[in-house]
Amino acid sequence: MSDPVLLINVLLLLLAIGAALAAMWTRDLLGAVMLMGIYSLLLAIEWANLFAMDVSYTEAAVGAGASTILLLTALTRTGTREKAGPNFHPTALLTVLVTGAVLIYGTSDLPRFGDPLAPATVHVAPEYITQTVGKVGATEATENDFGDHVPNAVTAVLASYRGYDTMFETAVIFTAGVCVIIILRPLAGSARRRTAGSKEDA
Amino acid sequence: MSESVVLRTIGGMLFPYILVYGLYVQMHGEIGPGGGFQAGVLVAAAFILHSLLFGKELTDRLLPTWLVDLSMSLGVLLYIGVGIVGLVKGSYFLDYSVLDPTHPAHAEALGMTLVEAGVGLTVASVILTMVRKVNGEPA
C-alpha cells in the first residue's frame, strides 16, 4: 500500500461505494439524488486518475450535472419521500449478485490494466497513436492523417476512425430526445385533464 | 425562479463563462480532452442554470422551443450530411478527406470539426429538451 496513487484509487472507490449504498438505503429521495451526484463526481475523479480525461469530463457533466438536475426536476413533480415498504428485495439482490458474478468472471479473461502486450495495445493502438499524437509542428514530410490538426487521439478515434459509431450514438441521442417529446407532450399540453385525473386517483 | 439575490447574481455572472467554456471544449476537442458530447452537455447546463435562476419564461424567450427542436435534428443532419458529401464526391460514406481535394489532411480535420459540431448541437438540445419536458413546459 505504499503506492500513493493506488491508495487514492482505493479511497475513491470506497467512498463511491459508500455513496451508492447510502443512496440505496435513504428514504429521502432528494438526499438520494444528491448522493448519486456525489457518486458520479467521485467516479469522475477516478477516471481522471486513470488518465481517461474525456470519460471524466462526460461523467462530471452528465452524471453529476445533467442527470442530477433531471432527477431533481422530476422530484419537484413526484414528491421527495419514498413510499413506505420493505427496503430489502431478495429477487433484486439475487439478480444483481448473479450479474455481478458473471461480470467479475468475465474480467478474468481481460488483459491486465495497462498491459503493453494486450491485443488492443499491439494491434490497433500503435497505428492510431503514430498517426495522430505528438506531431504538432511537424514538417510537411512527416505529416499525419489529419495534417497535425488533431493531436488528441481520443477525438481522432471517435470522430474519424470510428465515425460510424459516433454517428449512430448521435442518432440514439436524437431518438431519445424525440421520444421524450412524444411521451411528455400530451402531458404538458393538457394540464387541466391531468389535475382532474390526479383528483380521481386521490 | 430563484428568490436569492446571491444565487441570481453569481449565476448570472457565471452563465456566459459556462457558455464560452462549452464552446471552448467544442472547438478545442481535437487538441485537448473533450469534444461535441461534453461541449453539448456544458452548453445545456448553462441554459438549465439560466432557467433555474431567472425562470423558464426568460430562457424560453432567449432560446425558443422550436429552435431547440430544430437544432436537435440539424445536428444529426449535419453529421449524416458530411458523410453523404463523401459519397457524392465519389468516395465512401464519412470519408472526410474528399472535402478538400487539394489538401486531404486538412479536409480530415475539417470533417471532424463539422461532425463534432453536429454532435454538440444534438446533445445540447436533447438534454435541454429532456429537462424542459420533465419540468412540464408546454410544447
Side-chain angles (χ1 to χ4, degrees):
Chain A
M1 292 298 281
S2 57
D3 185 2
V5 177
L6 183 71
L7 203 66
I8 291 172
N9 281 341
V10 169
L11 187 70
L12 282 173
L13 284 178
L14 282 179
L15 282 173
I17 292 172
L21 285 177
M24 262 169 24
W25 281 101
T26 180
R27 287 274 172 196
D28 181 20
L29 292 178
L30 190 66
V33 170
M34 287 302 158
L35 283 165
M36 286 315 288
I38 294 170
Y39 168 82
S40 284
L41 205 58
L42 287 168
L43 277 195
I45 302 171
E46 177 64 28
W47 289 124
N49 223 1
L50 292 172
F51 300 109
M53 284 315 295
D54 292 78
V55 188
S56 173
Y57 252 48
T58 316
E59 183 74 48
V62 178
S67 66
T68 305
I69 291 175
L70 196 64
L71 288 173
L72 281 181
T73 320
L75 280 187
T76 60
R77 316 196 92 198
T78 58
T80 58
R81 289 301 294 182
E82 195 177 341
K83 231 187 278 178
N87 220 344
F88 179 70
H89 303 280
T91 44
L93 182 67
L94 190 72
T95 317
V96 169
L97 282 181
V98 168
T99 318
V102 168
L103 286 176
I104 289 172
Y105 174 72
T107 59
S108 64
D109 273 351
L110 286 178
R112 274 170 50 82
F113 176 71
D115 184 2
L117 295 175
T121 325
V122 293
H123 179 49
V124 284
E127 213 171 310
Y128 291 159
I129 289 170
T130 49
Q131 280 177 335
T132 54
V133 171
K135 287 201 180 166
V136 188
T139 55
E140 195 76 10
T142 61
E143 196 172 66
N144 61 46
D145 273 13
F146 306 108
D148 303 328
H149 292 304
V150 191
N152 182 3
V154 177
T155 307
V157 171
L158 280 182
S160 186
Y161 296 117
R162 293 264 174 269
Y164 273 73
D165 289 21
T166 313
M167 187 185 80
F168 284 116
E169 273 164 25
T170 316
V172 165
I173 293 167
F174 171 71
T175 315
V178 170
C179 290
V180 167
I181 292 178
I182 291 172
I183 292 171
L184 293 184
R185 183 159 275 175
L187 188 88
S190 58
R192 274 183 67 183
R193 190 145 45 89
R194 192 175 66 249
T195 43
S198 61
K199 264 176 205 157
E200 275 167 33
D201 287 348
Chain B
M1 181 164 158
S2 171
E3 300 294 326
S4 162
V5 178
V6 176
L7 279 182
R8 293 180 63 180
T9 312
I10 301 291
M13 280 160 70
L14 274 178
F15 172 68
Y17 288 102
I18 299 176
L19 267 188
V20 168
Y21 186 60
L23 288 176
Y24 164 78
V25 170
Q26 172 83 54
M27 299 296 170
H28 210 247
E30 301 98 64
I31 301 160
F37 193 85
Q38 290 85 346
V41 178
L42 279 170
V43 170
F47 282 105
I48 292 167
L49 178 74
H50 190 272
S51 73
L52 286 178
L53 291 175
F54 305 108
K56 290 182 270 190
E57 292 76 21
L58 195 66
T59 317
D60 225 34
R61 233 183 303 153
L62 207 66
L63 203 67
T65 310
W66 63 265
L67 191 65
V68 180
D69 288 358
L70 189 73
S71 64
M72 194 157 96
S73 29
L74 265 186
V76 183
L77 282 178
L78 181 60
Y79 202 129
I80 297 172
V82 172
I84 287 177
V85 168
L87 272 184
V88 168
K89 290 216 170 184
S91 184
Y92 50 85
F93 189 62
L94 283 177
D95 180 10
Y96 312 136
S97 60
V98 292
L99 289 175
D100 180 5
T102 56
H103 210 313
H106 287 188
E108 285 275 355
L110 173 69
M112 282 167 65
T113 309
L114 287 175
V115 155
E116 288 282 347
V119 175
L121 262 182
T122 300
V123 169
S125 35
V126 164
I127 286 182
L128 201 57
T129 304
M130 280 183 175
V131 173
R132 276 187 172 177
K133 294 296 170 197
V134 173
N135 213 353
E137 228 163 85

